[in-house]
Structure formats: C-alpha cells, structure tokens
Coordinates of all heavy atoms in Angstrom, one line a residue:
I1 N 0.8 -1.2 0.0 CA 0.0 0.0 0.0 C 0.9 1.2 0.0 O 0.6 2.2 -0.7 CB -1.0 0.0 1.2 CG1 -2.1 -1.0 1.0 CG2 -1.6 1.4 1.5 CD1 -2.9 -1.3 2.2
F2 N 1.9 1.2 0.8 CA 2.9 2.4 0.8 C 3.6 2.5 -0.6 O 3.8 3.7 -1.0 CB 3.9 2.3 1.9 CG 3.4 2.6 3.3 CD1 3.6 1.8 4.3 CD2 2.6 3.8 3.4 CE1 3.1 2.1 5.6 CE2 2.1 4.1 4.7 CZ 2.4 3.3 5.8
Q3 N 3.8 1.4 -1.2 CA 4.4 1.5 -2.6 C 3.4 2.1 -3.5 O 3.8 2.9 -4.4 CB 4.8 0.1 -3.1 CG 5.9 -0.5 -2.3 CD 7.2 0.3 -2.3 OE1 7.6 0.8 -3.3 NE2 7.8 0.5 -1.1
G4 N 2.1 1.7 -3.4 CA 1.1 2.3 -4.3 C 0.8 3.8 -4.0 O 0.5 4.5 -4.9
E5 N 1.0 4.2 -2.7 CA 0.8 5.6 -2.4 C 1.7 6.5 -3.1 O 1.4 7.6 -3.5 CB 0.9 5.8 -0.9 CG -0.2 5.3 0.0 CD -1.4 6.2 0.0 OE1 -1.3 7.3 -0.5 OE2 -2.4 5.7 0.6
K6 N 2.9 6.0 -3.4 CA 4.0 6.8 -4.0 C 3.7 7.0 -5.5 O 4.3 7.8 -6.2 CB 5.3 6.2 -3.8 CG 5.8 6.2 -2.3 CD 7.1 5.5 -2.2 CE 7.4 5.2 -0.8 NZ 8.6 4.3 -0.7
M7 N 2.9 6.1 -6.1 CA 2.8 6.0 -7.6 C 2.0 7.2 -8.1 O 2.4 7.8 -9.1 CB 2.1 4.7 -8.0 CG 2.9 3.5 -7.9 SD 2.1 2.1 -8.5 CE 3.4 0.9 -8.4
I8 N 0.9 7.6 -7.5 CA 0.2 8.7 -8.0 C -0.3 9.6 -6.8 O -0.6 9.1 -5.8 CB -1.1 8.3 -8.8 CG1 -2.0 7.4 -8.0 CG2 -0.7 7.6 -10.1 CD1 -3.4 7.2 -8.7
A9 N -0.3 10.9 -7.1 CA -0.9 11.9 -6.2 C -0.5 11.6 -4.7 O -1.4 11.2 -3.9 CB -2.4 12.0 -6.4
P10 N 0.7 11.8 -4.3 CA 1.1 11.5 -2.9 C 0.3 12.3 -1.9 O 0.2 11.9 -0.7 CB 2.6 11.9 -2.8 CG 3.0 12.0 -4.2 CD 1.8 12.3 -5.1
E11 N -0.3 13.4 -2.2 CA -1.0 14.2 -1.3 C -2.4 13.7 -1.0 O -3.1 14.0 0.0 CB -1.2 15.7 -1.7 CG -2.0 15.9 -3.0 CD -1.2 15.6 -4.3 OE1 0.0 15.4 -4.3 OE2 -1.9 15.6 -5.3
Q12 N -2.9 12.8 -1.9 CA -4.2 12.1 -1.7 C -4.1 10.8 -0.9 O -3.1 10.2 -1.0 CB -4.9 11.8 -3.0 CG -5.5 13.0 -3.7 CD -6.1 12.6 -5.0 OE1 -5.6 11.8 -5.7 NE2 -7.3 13.2 -5.3
Q13 N -5.2 10.5 -0.2 CA -5.3 9.2 0.5 C -5.9 8.1 -0.4 O -6.8 8.5 -1.2 CB -6.1 9.3 1.7 CG -5.4 9.9 2.9 CD -4.4 9.0 3.5 OE1 -3.8 8.1 2.9 NE2 -4.1 9.2 4.8
G14 N -5.5 6.9 -0.3 CA -6.2 5.8 -1.0 C -7.3 5.3 -0.2 O -7.6 5.7 1.0
N15 N -8.0 4.3 -0.7 CA -9.2 3.7 0.0 C -8.9 2.3 0.3 O -8.5 1.5 -0.5 CB -10.4 3.8 -1.0 CG -10.7 5.2 -1.4 OD1 -10.8 6.1 -0.6 ND2 -11.0 5.3 -2.7
Y16 N -9.1 1.9 1.6 CA -9.0 0.6 2.0 C -10.4 -0.1 1.6 O -11.4 0.4 2.0 CB -8.8 0.5 3.5 CG -7.4 1.0 3.9 CD1 -7.3 2.3 4.4 CD2 -6.3 0.2 3.8 CE1 -6.1 2.8 4.8 CE2 -5.1 0.7 4.1 CZ -5.0 2.0 4.6 OH -3.7 2.5 4.9
L17 N -10.3 -1.3 1.0 CA -11.4 -1.9 0.5 C -11.8 -3.2 1.3 O -11.1 -3.5 2.3 CB -11.2 -2.3 -1.0 CG -10.9 -1.1 -1.9 CD1 -10.6 -1.6 -3.3 CD2 -12.1 -0.1 -1.9
F18 N -12.8 -3.9 0.9 CA -13.3 -5.0 1.7 C -12.3 -6.1 2.0 O -12.2 -6.6 3.1 CB -14.5 -5.7 0.9 CG -15.2 -6.8 1.6 CD1 -15.9 -6.5 2.8 CD2 -15.1 -8.1 1.1 CE1 -16.5 -7.5 3.5 CE2 -15.8 -9.1 1.8 CZ -16.5 -8.8 3.0
G19 N -11.4 -6.3 1.1 CA -10.3 -7.4 1.4 C -9.4 -7.0 2.5 O -9.0 -7.9 3.3
F20 N -9.1 -5.7 2.7 CA -8.3 -5.3 3.8 C -9.0 -5.6 5.1 O -8.4 -6.0 6.1 CB -7.9 -3.9 3.7 CG -6.9 -3.4 4.7 CD1 -5.6 -3.6 4.5 CD2 -7.3 -2.8 5.8 CE1 -4.6 -3.2 5.4 CE2 -6.4 -2.3 6.8 CZ -5.0 -2.6 6.5
Y21 N -10.3 -5.3 5.2 CA -11.0 -5.6 6.4 C -11.2 -7.0 6.7 O -11.5 -7.4 7.9 CB -12.4 -4.8 6.4 CG -12.1 -3.3 6.3 CD1 -12.4 -2.6 5.2 CD2 -11.5 -2.6 7.4 CE1 -12.2 -1.2 5.2 CE2 -11.3 -1.3 7.4 CZ -11.6 -0.6 6.2 OH -11.4 0.8 6.2
L22 N -11.1 -7.9 5.7 CA -11.1 -9.3 6.0 C -9.9 -9.8 6.8 O -10.0 -10.7 7.6 CB -11.2 -10.1 4.6 CG -12.6 -10.1 4.0 CD1 -12.6 -10.7 2.6 CD2 -13.6 -10.8 4.9
F23 N -8.8 -9.1 6.5 CA -7.6 -9.4 7.4 C -7.9 -9.1 8.8 O -7.6 -9.9 9.7 CB -6.4 -8.5 7.0 CG -5.5 -9.1 6.0 CD1 -5.1 -8.4 4.9 CD2 -4.9 -10.4 6.2 CE1 -4.2 -9.0 4.0 CE2 -4.0 -10.9 5.4 CZ -3.7 -10.2 4.2
V24 N -8.5 -7.9 9.0 CA -8.8 -7.5 10.4 C -9.8 -8.5 11.1 O -9.6 -8.9 12.2 CB -9.4 -6.1 10.4 CG1 -9.8 -5.6 11.8 CG2 -8.4 -5.1 9.8
S25 N -10.8 -8.9 10.3 CA -11.8 -9.8 10.9 C -11.2 -11.2 11.2 O -11.5 -11.8 12.2 CB -13.0 -10.0 10.0 OG -12.6 -10.6 8.8
A26 N -10.3 -11.6 10.3 CA -9.6 -12.9 10.6 C -8.7 -12.8 11.8 O -8.7 -13.8 12.6 CB -8.7 -13.3 9.4
M27 N -8.1 -11.7 12.0 CA -7.2 -11.6 13.2 C -8.1 -11.5 14.5 O -7.8 -12.1 15.5 CB -6.3 -10.4 13.1 CG -5.3 -10.5 12.1 SD -4.2 -9.1 12.0 CE -2.9 -9.7 13.0
L28 N -9.3 -10.9 14.4 CA -10.2 -10.8 15.5 C -10.8 -12.2 15.8 O -10.8 -12.6 17.0 CB -11.4 -9.9 15.2 CG -12.5 -9.8 16.2 CD1 -11.9 -9.1 17.5 CD2 -13.7 -9.0 15.7
F29 N -11.2 -13.0 14.8 CA -11.7 -14.3 15.0 C -10.6 -15.2 15.6 O -10.9 -16.1 16.5 CB -12.2 -14.9 13.7 CG -13.4 -14.3 13.2 CD1 -13.6 -14.1 11.9 CD2 -14.5 -13.9 14.1 CE1 -14.8 -13.5 11.4 CE2 -15.6 -13.3 13.6 CZ -15.8 -13.1 12.3
N30 N -9.3 -15.0 15.2 CA -8.2 -15.9 15.7 C -8.0 -15.5 17.2 O -7.8 -16.4 18.0 CB -7.0 -15.6 14.9 CG -5.9 -16.6 15.2 OD1 -6.1 -17.8 15.2 ND2 -4.7 -16.2 15.6
T31 N -8.1 -14.3 17.6 CA -8.0 -13.9 19.0 C -9.1 -14.5 19.8 O -8.9 -15.0 20.9 CB -8.0 -12.3 19.1 OG1 -6.9 -11.8 18.3 CG2 -7.8 -11.9 20.5
L32 N -10.3 -14.4 19.3 CA -11.4 -15.0 20.1 C -11.3 -16.5 20.2 O -11.6 -17.1 21.3 CB -12.8 -14.7 19.4 CG -13.2 -13.2 19.5 CD1 -14.4 -13.0 18.5 CD2 -13.5 -12.9 20.9
A33 N -10.8 -17.2 19.1 CA -10.6 -18.6 19.2 C -9.6 -19.0 20.3 O -9.7 -19.9 21.1 CB -10.2 -19.2 17.9
N34 N -8.5 -18.2 20.3 CA -7.4 -18.4 21.3 C -7.9 -18.2 22.7 O -7.6 -19.0 23.6 CB -6.2 -17.5 21.0 CG -5.5 -17.9 19.8 OD1 -5.6 -19.0 19.3 ND2 -4.7 -17.0 19.2
R35 N -8.8 -17.2 22.9 CA -9.3 -17.0 24.2 C -10.2 -18.1 24.7 O -10.1 -18.6 25.8 CB -10.1 -15.7 24.2 CG -10.8 -15.4 25.5 CD -11.3 -14.0 25.6 NE -10.2 -13.1 25.6 CZ -10.3 -11.8 25.4 NH1 -11.5 -11.3 25.2 NH2 -9.2 -11.0 25.4
F36 N -11.0 -18.7 23.8 CA -11.9 -19.8 24.2 C -11.1 -21.1 24.4 O -11.5 -21.9 25.2 CB -13.0 -20.0 23.2 CG -14.1 -19.0 23.4 CD1 -14.3 -17.9 22.5 CD2 -15.0 -19.1 24.5 CE1 -15.3 -17.0 22.7 CE2 -16.0 -18.1 24.6 CZ -16.1 -17.1 23.8
I37 N -10.0 -21.3 23.6 CA -9.2 -22.5 23.8 C -8.5 -22.4 25.2 O -8.5 -23.4 25.9 CB -8.1 -22.6 22.7 CG1 -8.8 -22.9 21.3 CG2 -7.1 -23.6 23.0 CD1 -7.9 -22.7 20.2
R38 N -8.0 -21.2 25.5 CA -7.4 -21.0 26.8 C -8.4 -21.2 28.0 O -8.1 -21.8 29.0 CB -6.8 -19.6 26.9 CG -5.9 -19.4 28.1 CD -5.1 -18.1 28.0 NE -4.8 -17.5 26.7 CZ -5.4 -16.4 26.2 NH1 -6.3 -15.8 26.9 NH2 -5.1 -16.0 25.0
K39 N -9.6 -20.7 27.7 CA -10.7 -20.9 28.7 C -11.0 -22.4 28.9 O -11.2 -22.8 30.1 CB -11.9 -20.2 28.3 CG -12.9 -19.9 29.3 CD -14.0 -19.0 28.7 CE -15.0 -18.5 29.7 NZ -16.1 -17.7 29.1
D40 N -11.1 -23.2 27.9 CA -11.3 -24.6 28.0 C -10.2 -25.3 28.8 O -10.4 -26.2 29.6 CB -11.4 -25.3 26.6 CG -12.8 -25.3 26.1 OD1 -13.7 -24.8 26.7 OD2 -13.0 -25.8 25.0

C-alpha cells in the first residue's frame, strides 16, 4: 500500500477496500478462538 501511495498523487489518500477488512476480521476471530481455547 505504501508503494502504491507513491505512484500517484502523494497528497491524496487511498481507499481501504473489503479485502483489507477481511484481514482485520480474521485476526479478531483468531484472537477469540485463542481466548476460548485457553478458557477450555
């Protein structure tokens, strides 16, 4: 993403799309799974 930011209009911000938020949700689900495994 930082490489792409440099390609055009450095003063503008890019848009994070659905795929990026899937990373965040996967990390959240992994944290919840680890918590319940520890609880068991």
Side-chain angles (χ1 to χ4, degrees):
I1 286 171
F2 282 132
Q3 295 300 315
E5 287 281 352
K6 297 176 190 173
M7 289 182 173
I8 60 171
E11 66 280 353
Q12 285 182 317
Q13 282 284 28
N15 301 315
Y16 294 99
L17 301 175
F18 184 65
F20 188 81
Y21 295 111
L22 284 172
F23 265 130
V24 176
S25 68
M27 293 183 92
L28 176 69
F29 291 140
N30 193 52
T31 302
L32 288 171
N34 289 342
R35 178 169 290 168
F36 282 105
I37 293 167
R38 195 173 327 111
K39 199 174 184 181
D40 271 3

